[in-house]
Structure formats: C-alpha cells, structure tokens
C-alpha cells in the first residue's frame, strides 16, 4: 500500500513541527501504518499538498486545504494526546 | 544544544513580553549565539505563531525564530517572579492568553540535528516535577542542575568565563 503522506506544519518548521513529526512517526510505527511524514511551514502547505492524506499543524490555520486537518498542540503540551492520536489514526486507517 | 549558565536566568522580575524578548535577545547577541536580526524575528514570529502553552504545572512558552537568525544552538531558560501573558500556541491574540512563568528560548540553527534535544525539552515541560524544580531554582547553577538531569544536555565545549555579564535592564 502507498505510504500515507502526512504534512506537519508550524510557523517555521523548527521546533514544534520537529517534535510533532517525531511523535506521529512513532504513532504510525506503533500501529503498523506506513507513513511519509514531511515537515513544512504553514505558508508552504499549498505547494506540498499534492497527494497529502492528512495535515497536522501546531499553529492556527483558517484556510481549508481540502485535506483533513488535525491540531497537534497536544504533542507539545502533553494535554489530550490520546484524543489527538485517535483523531489522526481515524483519518489514516482504512474505513 | 549548549546549556550555557549565562543563559539561565532564574526568578527574573520583568513586566512584559517585549521587555523579556529584548533582554534575552541582547544577551544571546552579546554572547554570539544569534545575529542582529534575531530580536526582530523573535517578535515577528511570536506575533503570528505564538508559543504559550497551558501545561498542568502552569504556563510555559517556547519562543523561537527561523534557523537563519541563529549562529550557535542553545537553550535559554527564564523563570519569572510574576507571570507574563502569552497568546496560546495554535491560537492568536484573540484567544485567551496563557499566564507564563517559565520561558524556554529554543535557539536552533539546524532542527534536524536537534530532534533529540527538542523532543526531550518538549517532553520535559509536560512534567509537573520538571517545571516545579525549574521554578524552585534560585541560581543559574540550580537551573543548570535541573536541566542537565532532565534533558541530558551538556555544558558548552569551550570553557565559559567565570565573569557573568548580564546586561543591565
């Protein structure tokens, strides 16, 4: 099966998206999901959208990219991590 | 990631985010960790992508900039006597602010080489114990001990001078 393409976006692809991307890679590995996790900045989302299955962001996003979007603040704050993980898995698992 | 004791500022009395950023940016620049554009970039980034986090043990903020403004990786840690308001990460100025008492400036020039220390830092702030210990530390050495214990960060490779040069506010 084609790996799921997951875009992890924050303000500068420096700190929060680095940590969130690592959490998502581990989450996918734990659940046997083949995933291509890519980091980018919020403004770069539009150019990286091609083939994306999911966007996870740690910043406020108003735009609709036509791809499911999950807020990943939980990976940074540690609050509600399970709920965020469940939401991500829900978008990645075959229906 | 360097843990220079001169960047560890316990129990600072500072009234606003602007003053805090000015103070830390000047310190980082004087010590050669960042370039001249860092301060502006820090303010601009925080305005658009705020970093306040409400964690169980209180408010934490993780201000940072694009890698291009950084010369040497470092972690600057400030604990505050009185909380300063930050807009919440994932939100903006319209959202309810977070009252922050611990600020970790992530000074990173190449995030791909810092995945481990960034992950450890972020996981650490999720621990009540870590934040309470940081808050309790009264000296740079005290902060240093908490940070080295919990983050596994090392001292700088070059010996740092004994004279602490905190610029006057």
């Amino acid at each position: 099966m084609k790996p799921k393409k997951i875009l992890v976006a924050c303000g500068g692809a420096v700190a929060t998206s680095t940590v969130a991307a690592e959490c998502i890679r581990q989450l996918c590995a734990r659940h046997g999901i083949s995933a291509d996790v890519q980091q980018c900045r919020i403004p770069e989302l539009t150019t990286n959208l091609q083939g994306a299955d999911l966007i996870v962001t740690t910043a406020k996003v108003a735009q609709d990219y036509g791809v499911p979007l999950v807020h990943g603040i939980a990976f940074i704050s540690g609050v509600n991590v399970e709920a965020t993980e469940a939401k991500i898995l829900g978008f990645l698992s075959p229906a | 990631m360097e843990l220079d004791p001169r960047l560890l500022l316990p129990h600072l009395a500072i009234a606003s985010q602007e003053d805090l950023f000015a103070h830390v940016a000047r310190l980082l620049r004087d010590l050669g960790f960042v370039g001249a554009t860092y301060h502006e970039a820090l303010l601009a980034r925080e305005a658009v992508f705020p970093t306040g986090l409400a964690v169980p043990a209180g408010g934490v903020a993780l201000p940072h900039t694009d890698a291009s403004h950084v010369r040497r990786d470092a972690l600057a840690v400030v604990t505050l006597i009185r909380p300063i308001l930050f807009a919440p990460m994932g939100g903006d100025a319209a959202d309810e602010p977070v009252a922050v008492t611990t600020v970790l400036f992530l000074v990173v020039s190449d995030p791909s080489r810092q995945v481990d220390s960034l992950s450890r830092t972020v996981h650490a702030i999720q621990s009540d114990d870590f934040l309470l210990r940081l808050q309790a530390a009264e000296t740079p050495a005290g902060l240093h001990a908490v940070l080295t214990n919990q983050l596994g960060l090392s001292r700088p490779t070059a010996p740092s001078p004994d004279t602490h040069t905190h610029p006057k506010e």
Side-chain angles (χ1 to χ4, degrees):
Chain A
M1 205 171 74
K2 199 166 127 306
K4 299 285 185 184
K5 177 172 167 183
I6 305 168
L7 296 174
V8 184
C10 70
V14 174
T16 58
S17 64
T18 301
V19 174
E22 198 55 31
C23 292
I24 293 163
R25 284 192 191 99
Q26 289 171 9
L27 173 72
C28 289
R30 281 204 306 275
H31 291 266
I33 297 168
S34 163
D36 172 20
V37 181
Q38 299 179 13
Q39 270 175 262
C40 66
R41 296 155 208 255
I42 302 276
E44 296 166 348
L45 273 173
T46 37
T47 52
N48 289 313
L49 269 182
Q50 185 76 40
D53 296 286
L54 180 66
I55 297 169
V56 180
T57 171
T58 54
K60 192 162 199 161
V61 176
Q63 197 174 333
D64 180 1
Y65 295 94
V67 172
L69 187 144
V70 173
H71 285 282
I73 313 293
F75 293 123
I76 315 301
S77 69
V79 180
N80 287 330
V81 177
E82 288 82 8
T84 300
E85 290 185 340
K87 210 183 279 182
I88 289 172
L89 291 171
F91 283 119
L92 296 180
S93 305
Chain B
M1 200 180 274
E2 280 189 31
L3 202 52
D4 188 316
R6 294 170 297 178
L7 301 177
L8 307 178
L9 310 173
H11 296 185
L12 217 55
I14 270 189
S16 70
Q17 194 188 96
E18 291 70 29
D19 289 352
L20 174 68
F21 282 13
H23 183 76
V24 173
R26 190 168 30 171
L27 189 58
L28 285 168
R29 191 172 173 208
D30 287 350
L31 296 172
F33 286 94
V34 301
T37 54
Y38 176 83
H39 184 205
E40 274 300 305
L42 192 65
L43 290 167
R45 169 62 68 77
E46 191 68 31
V48 182
F49 300 111
T51 65
L53 283 168
V55 293
V60 182
L62 305 171
H64 57 278
T65 66
D66 264 16
S68 59
H69 307 281
V70 176
R71 291 186 182 147
R72 272 156 63 207
D73 294 339
L75 180 66
V77 178
V78 178
T79 59
L80 297 161
I81 291 176
R82 288 180 303 277
I84 287 176
L85 295 181
F86 276 70
M89 188 181 290
D92 58 28
D95 295 291
E96 189 173 344
V98 182
V100 166
T101 46
T102 308
V103 187
L104 293 91
F105 290 82
L106 309 173
V107 185
V108 175
S109 64
D110 180 0
S112 68
R113 286 192 298 122
Q114 299 292 351
V115 175
D116 280 354
S117 47
L118 287 171
S119 298
R120 280 199 297 267
T121 305
V122 167
H123 287 128
I125 61 164
Q126 300 175 5
S127 146
D128 292 0
D129 184 57
F130 174 67
L131 288 179
L132 294 174
R133 280 169 194 264
L134 281 185
Q135 284 291 331
E138 289 176 356
T139 61
L143 279 179
H144 193 276
V146 177
L147 291 160
T148 41
N149 281 344
Q150 300 251 354
L151 301 183
L153 295 178
S154 58
R155 276 179 171 280
T157 38
S160 46
D162 285 330
T163 45
H164 287 205
T165 51
H166 292 291
K168 287 199 170 66
E169 199 45 51

